[in-house]
Each structure stands twice: as structure tokens, then as C-alpha cells.
């Protein structure tokens, strides 16, 4: 059956994406071992992964729950960075999108576009990261696809992950549900992921190395669902940062925001790196933070629930939703002034996720 | 709110993938109009597409049906070819994977990786192809994501599409279910897609231009589900061609195949092009053909059902499943000899889908 695959020395070849014997070997030797642990919970339920599609076990969506889907493509450069890699990022990105809908994540599909010449050892490291992040998030990797393009026609590895989850009948979170008087919280410090990737990319020697905050947010936000209708929405401020996420909500809900700059947690190392590089942490990507908007009477409870989880230790109330026909996000500065926080313009930091 | 987007003259910029204002404009002006028609059936059911994920309407999966997922990445070059483009291909690839499981397709997610500089007019054409193919297939495009990489770091446009479908309780198709005595059918001629893409790529002037067979196979194969347990499996012989698909089934089921070469339909133009180029049509990709394996007593019915649909007009019985510990696919040639059809080795035709 052709040459054996050397995972330690080999490189991705066009044949690995041709759908023939080499693809079959790659799946058997590299992907299935990496993803099998994610199927452990379904081991005795007859899930077959070598067909064109995968039939999920009966009962993996509770009766009466609605289905939720999401998708994220990842092109981060470099592929490996302090605190994570493109594999962990791809799982967290999609699982967090489900979690922000109040959904319990169930399963993922993974599609790779690989550049000819990528070391198989790097691909294996990425696949194992996907498997490990999926196990930690409690989701099954149920289907995958791999395409390979010629050297120079892609940049190492691009990964797209789609997710399926389910949401209870009484959960209706949406960016359209913010209303004047609501309170805005953030689950922790902003800008860590952006600085972590940038420091690796630029070879910066920061005094305090910053790790990406990439993490699965479902365990952090699940307790908030008990707040019922008074929890309005959840959002993870990834690309575009906190500033853009708030603008998206303002746009969708037809409201404005009154945000207290001093209340927004920023790690000292991130603040320092941003000053050095001329970046604004409010526009940097986060991969393990949630924006929470809730009714004022449950804001204290929401804050306590967030702080009760290790990922939410530095959670903070950062502002309020206000009536505003211009849908502006207004930042109150520590010196008592105000400035309008616009959407991210251009792309100061390409390929951050 | 920044510069307006010129869909006729503009090009993809890094900012379109940054998640800020330019991304928002691209989604509003280009993607939503292209995909909105796919949501028409759910128009009055409150589907919101501007959140991190999408909640599907209640009842889109019938009670008692199991969920099916699939995913395909597409990197075909060129992006546009006779009979289709990367958009139609991406929808059909994923919908057909669901159909081959006996599943009714419900919804798709779409992830783009774009190269800086791609004309927006081309992206719009691709997005509209996705929308049109999805409407024809009866599936909703519910979520998307777009990333942009620097000029030279990707090749125009890569698309990954994941699909969700549902399967009735009594349907259990799998590549593992072929058994000795079963009959093998193909729904039509092989090699068309491979020749169509290759002819455009090489600028070949073929006497009879060949169109890709890219098509949604669900309407073709749905009637076969009435055969119940005697329908063993369906497979679409895409990358790797018919030869590789038969090997995959032989491998998964632990059987061999006895195939009659003369019975395999090959269009004269495809046969001619293959002879000219030194290619074997049995290893060329198909994007609108199904391999059917069924019990012998329903083979005539299966053939009649296939031929009853426009996509199956040249359907044929091409061979049988046999006991064979070596899991070989043996081809009987018109001259009475035999040869073993192996898996596709290497990649004679990169980026065919």
C-alpha cells in the first residue's frame, strides 16, 4: 500500500490532498489518533467516522432544544504562539461562538487547507491541539477534510471549524437585545491574545511575556443562563476587539454605550506593549473573554458568577447601555473627558486569528 | 461609516478580514444579499444571522431523526470552469456527502479564506453561486466567516462548507455494509469534472467541450431509500475517482469488487481527452455521480429509479461485490483480461476540487 508515512521527518505533499492512498494514510496515522479521544463519550454508540458524513448518536440534542450552528476560519500567523496555536484557537473560536448563543457545544467539523511542504510534525501538533481543546470543551470532532495546495499558494496551514450545539427553549440571547439601562460587563482583561501573537511574530522580547488568553468560555458563561431573560446577550470580543464588539451590539440593538475606560481591565504587560507599539488594547483580539449585557438588577449576580470561575477572576462592570439614535460607543476617560470609540478601521494587525 | 464598497471595481483588502467596519460592510453588501434567498423558507421563523451563531428554527429536524454532519474544503483552480465554479462545487460537495448518508440536507456554514487583491466582483459571483446552489438543493446558508491573507499567501479563494442534515430512523447507510453478492451501480458517466477543470486550466481546445457534472445528488438518490436495508451504501466518487471510491468501500467492508470495465459509462469527449492527456477516467474526480451498492434482488429497481431521474439517465450496473481477503478491486477488461484497480497514488491532477 505505498510508502509508510514518517510523521517525524515527512512533509505535506500534494498527494495528501488528492483523496487517494496518501490521504487515507494521513487520516489513519495522523488525524484519527488525534481526534479519537474526542469521541470517547460516544464510543459505544456506533459512531462511524469513515463515511462521507457522520451520523450523530440519538439523544445528543435534548428534546425540545433548538440547534445552533457557527463557523470560524483561522489563518493566524505564526501557527504557534505563546499560550496556544492555530488548533486550540480554531476549537475555542467556534465553541465560544456557540457558548455566546447560550448553547451547549456538541460537535465540530474541521477543514484544513495545507501548503505543500508543511512538516507533518507541525500538522500533528496542530491536530493534537485540536483534539485536546475539543476534549477539554466536551465536544466531538466528527468529520474533517484536507486539501493541499502547491508551495507558495497558501501559508502553512489554514483551518476552518464549524460547530453544532443546542440551546434550551427558554434561552434567547442575541446582539439585538440590549436596551437602555442594561449593564455591560467584561469577564477579564483585554488585548492579551493580540499582544501574544504580535510579540511572537515580531520577535519582541517583552519584559513580561504575555500568553494568549485562548480558552473555552462555556463553563464560564453557563451559570449566567440561570439569569433567564435578564441576561440579554453574550459576545466574545475577538477580531476587532472590545471596541468593535460594542459597536456591533449598538448597531444591532439600536442603542448606545456609556463605557468607563478606567474600569476595563488591561494587564500591565499588555498596556506596556501597546504603548510601545502604538496599539490600542480596546481594538486587539481576545480569544477567551466574554462581554455580558444584562438587566441592572442582576448585574451584581452576573459579576459574582463570572468571578466565581477561574477564567473570570478579573471580571468587571465597565458601563451601561443608553438611548442613542446615533448608536455610538462613548468612552469616559480617567481625566473626565469622553471620546467616541468607533469600529475598527483598516487592519492594523493582520492574521491575528 | 468609512468608504463605500465598490462591488464592481473593488478588490479584497486585508481590512475585509479584520472583523471591523470593512468586514461588516462586506457582509451587508455582498454576503447577506447572496445568501438571503436560502433563508426564505424560514423567513417568518425569526432566524437571526447577525450573532456569533445561528439558532435553527424548531422542527427543522423531524422527531426521531438523527443528525448528520459533513464538511468539505475546496481549493479548485481555476475558480471558474465549464459547468460551475468553486461556489457551486462547495455546496454540492457538502450536500452530496449528506445525501450519500441518506440524509436530507438542512443547512450549511461557509468559511472563506481570501487572498488580498481578489476582485470583489469575483467574490460576489462565487457567493451568488453558493446562494443559487443552496436554494436549488433546499438548504439554508446559516453562518459564515471570512479571513483575508496577504497577496501571495493564498490563491484567490478557498472555501470550506460544513453541512447539517437528518436521517430517518430506518436508514443506516455505510461504506462498511457491502457484502459478497451485492450489486454495484454508477449513476452516470465518469471523469467529466476532471476533464472540464483540466481543459480550462490548460487552455485546451477540446473538440467537444466537457462541462463539469457538479450537481446536487439528493433528488437522485432519495427514491433509493425506499429500498430499505437492501440499499447498502451510497458514495460520490469525487477526488480519487471511481477507482479510489471502490477501494475505500472494499477496505471498510472487508470485501473485493469484480467490475466490468465496458459497463462503466465514459462520455466520448472525456475518453478522447483522457487518451490525449494520458489520464485514466476511473481516477478522475466526479462531482455529480453516485456509486450505489445494493442487494442483488433490488438491483433492477435501483437501476430503474436512477434512470428515472435526469441526473441518472446513463446509470448502469458495473459489477459485483465478492469475497476477497485482499480487498482488491478487479477490473475485467473488454478483451477478457483482468487488472487490479489500486487506490489513486500521488496526485496527477492537483486542485481539482
Amino acid at each position: 500500500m505505498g510508502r509508510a508515512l514518517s510523521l517525524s521527518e515527512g512533509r505535506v505533499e500534494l498527494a495528501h490532498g488528492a483523496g487517494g492512498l496518501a490521504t487515507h494514510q494521513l487520516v489513519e496515522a495522523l488525524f484519527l489518533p488525534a481526534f479519537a479521544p474526542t469521541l470517547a463519550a460516544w464510543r459505544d454508540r456506533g459512531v462511524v467516522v469513515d463515511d462521507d458524513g457522520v451520523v450523530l448518536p440519538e439523544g445528543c440534542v435534548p428534546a425540545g432544544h433548538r440547534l445552533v450552528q457557527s463557523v470560524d476560519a483561522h489563518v493566524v500567523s505564526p501557527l504557534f504562539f505563546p499560550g496556544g496555536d492555530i488548533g486550540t484557537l480554531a476549537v475555542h473560536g467556534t465553541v465560544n461562538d456557540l457558548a455566546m448563543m447560550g448553547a451547549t457545544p456538541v460537535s465540530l467539523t474541521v477543514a484544513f487547507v495545507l501548503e505543500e511542504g508543511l512538516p507533518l510534525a507541525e500538522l500533528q501538533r496542530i491536530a493534537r491541539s485540536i483534539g485536546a481543546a475539543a476534549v477539554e470543551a466536551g465536544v466531538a470532532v466528527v468529520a474533517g477534510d484536507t486539501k493541499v495546495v502547491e508551495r507558495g499558494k497558501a501559508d502553512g496551514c489554514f483551518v476552518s471549524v464549524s460547530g453544532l450545539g443546542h440551546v434550551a427553549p427558554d434561552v434567547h440571547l442575541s446582539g439585538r437585545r440590549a436596551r437602555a439601562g442594561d449593564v455591560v460587563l467584561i469577564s477579564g482583561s483585554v488585548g492579551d491574545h493580540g499582544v501574544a501573537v504580535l510579540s511572537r511574530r515580531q520577535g519582541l522580547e517583552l519584559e513580561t511575556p504575555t500568553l494568549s488568553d485562548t480558552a473555552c468560555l462555556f463553563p464560564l458563561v453557563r451559570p449566567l443562563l440561570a439569569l433567564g431573560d435578564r441576561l440579554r446577550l453574550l459576545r466574545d470580543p475577538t477580531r476587532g476587539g472590545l471596541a468593535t464588539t460594542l459597536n456591533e451590539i449598538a448597531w444591532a440593538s439600536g442603542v448606545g454605550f456609556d463605557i468607563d475606560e478606567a474600569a476595563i481591565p488591561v494587564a500591565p504587560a499588555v498596556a506596556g506593549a501597546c504603548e510601545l507599539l502604538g496599539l490600542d488594547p480596546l481594538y486587539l483580539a481576545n480569544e477567551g473573554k466574554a462581554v455580558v449585557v444584562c438587566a441592572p438588577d442582576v448585574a451584581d449576580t452576573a459579576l459574582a458568577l463570572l468571578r466565581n470561575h477561574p477564567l473570570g477572576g478579573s471580571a468587571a462592570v465597565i458601563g451601561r447601555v443608553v438611548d442613542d439614535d446615533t448608536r455610538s460607543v462613548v468612552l469616559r476617560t480617567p481625566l473626565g473627558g469622553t471620546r467616541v470609540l468607533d469600529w475598527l478601521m483598516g487592519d492594523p494587525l493582520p492574521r491575528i486569528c
Side-chain angles (χ1 to χ4, degrees), chain A:
Chain A
M1 298 243 318
R3 282 177 304 149
L5 200 67
S6 167
L7 294 177
S8 56
E9 302 295 328
R11 289 180 178 270
V12 169
E13 302 169 16
L14 286 173
H16 289 128
L21 184 61
T23 304
H24 179 76
Q25 290 176 326
L26 187 71
V27 169
E28 295 278 330
L30 195 153
F31 289 121
L32 287 186
F35 299 157
T38 73
L39 292 163
W42 293 347
R43 191 170 284 147
D44 301 321
R45 302 178 64 184
V47 175
V48 176
V49 295
D50 53 12
D51 285 311
D52 284 343
V54 166
V55 181
L56 303 189
E58 280 180 72
C60 65
V61 172
H65 283 217
R66 288 158 299 151
L67 296 167
V68 183
Q69 285 183 280
S70 69
V71 65
D72 261 339
H74 285 275
V75 299
V76 65
S77 173
L79 297 174
F80 304 91
F81 48 80
D85 61 38
I86 192 171
T88 45
L89 207 57
V91 170
H92 293 153
T94 296
V95 164
N96 288 348
D97 282 346
L98 295 172
M100 296 304 106
M101 302 303 293
T104 303
V106 173
S107 56
L108 304 177
T109 73
V110 181
F112 291 96
V113 175
L114 305 176
E115 182 187 12
E116 182 188 13
L118 178 75
L120 288 173
E122 287 192 18
L123 182 60
Q124 184 176 45
R125 198 172 148 198
I126 293 166
R128 286 177 171 169
S129 288
I130 290 173
V135 165
E136 199 200 329
V139 290
V141 177
V142 296
D145 190 33
T146 306
K147 293 291 183 339
V148 180
V149 297
E150 306 88 336
R151 212 175 282 265
K153 296 293 185 184
D155 191 13
C157 174
F158 304 144
V159 187
S160 298
V161 174
S162 81
L164 179 70
H166 60 81
V167 71
D170 57 338
V171 173
H172 300 278
L173 305 181
S174 166
R176 299 182 176 190
R177 295 184 66 242
R179 56 187 86 165
D182 285 350
V183 173
V184 186
L185 303 90
I186 181 100
S187 66
S189 65
V190 299
D192 302 58
H193 177 73
V195 167
V197 173
L198 194 66
S199 67
R200 171 58 52 92
R201 195 188 300 172
Q202 314 276 48
L204 293 184
E205 298 276 341
L206 299 176
E207 227 169 287
T208 319
T210 296
L211 300 185
S212 167
D213 59 349
T214 186
C216 171
L217 292 171
F218 181 59
L220 171 70
V221 299
R222 182 172 34 192
L224 297 174
L225 299 178
L227 300 176
D229 193 52
R230 284 176 293 183
L231 176 67
R232 310 297 195 210
L233 68 96
L234 303 169
R235 278 284 170 111
D236 56 336
T238 55
R239 283 182 301 178
L242 176 63
T244 302
T245 294
L246 292 174
N247 273 284
E248 286 171 356
I249 300 167
W251 169 269
S253 287
V255 298
F257 281 100
D258 181 354
I259 302 293
D260 175 9
E261 185 171 11
I264 302 171
V266 183
V270 169
C274 283
E275 210 164 294
L276 191 73
L277 299 161
L279 294 169
D280 184 338
L282 302 186
Y283 288 92
L284 292 186
N286 311 280
E287 299 290 344
K289 298 291 152 36
V291 170
V292 179
V293 177
C294 64
D297 58 333
V298 297
D300 289 344
T301 309
L303 184 63
L305 288 172
L306 288 172
R307 288 193 173 159
N308 196 37
H309 190 278
L311 289 176
S314 58
V317 170
I318 61 169
R320 286 185 172 266
V321 180
V322 295
D323 276 323
D324 180 359
D325 289 345
T326 69
R327 306 180 187 194
S328 299
V329 179
V330 174
L331 195 70
R332 292 185 184 278
T333 66
L335 299 178
T338 63
R339 65 180 170 111
V340 172
L341 267 188
D342 210 336
W343 299 68
L344 174 70
M345 301 286 187
D347 191 1
L349 220 57
R351 301 182 57 187
I352 200 68
C353 59

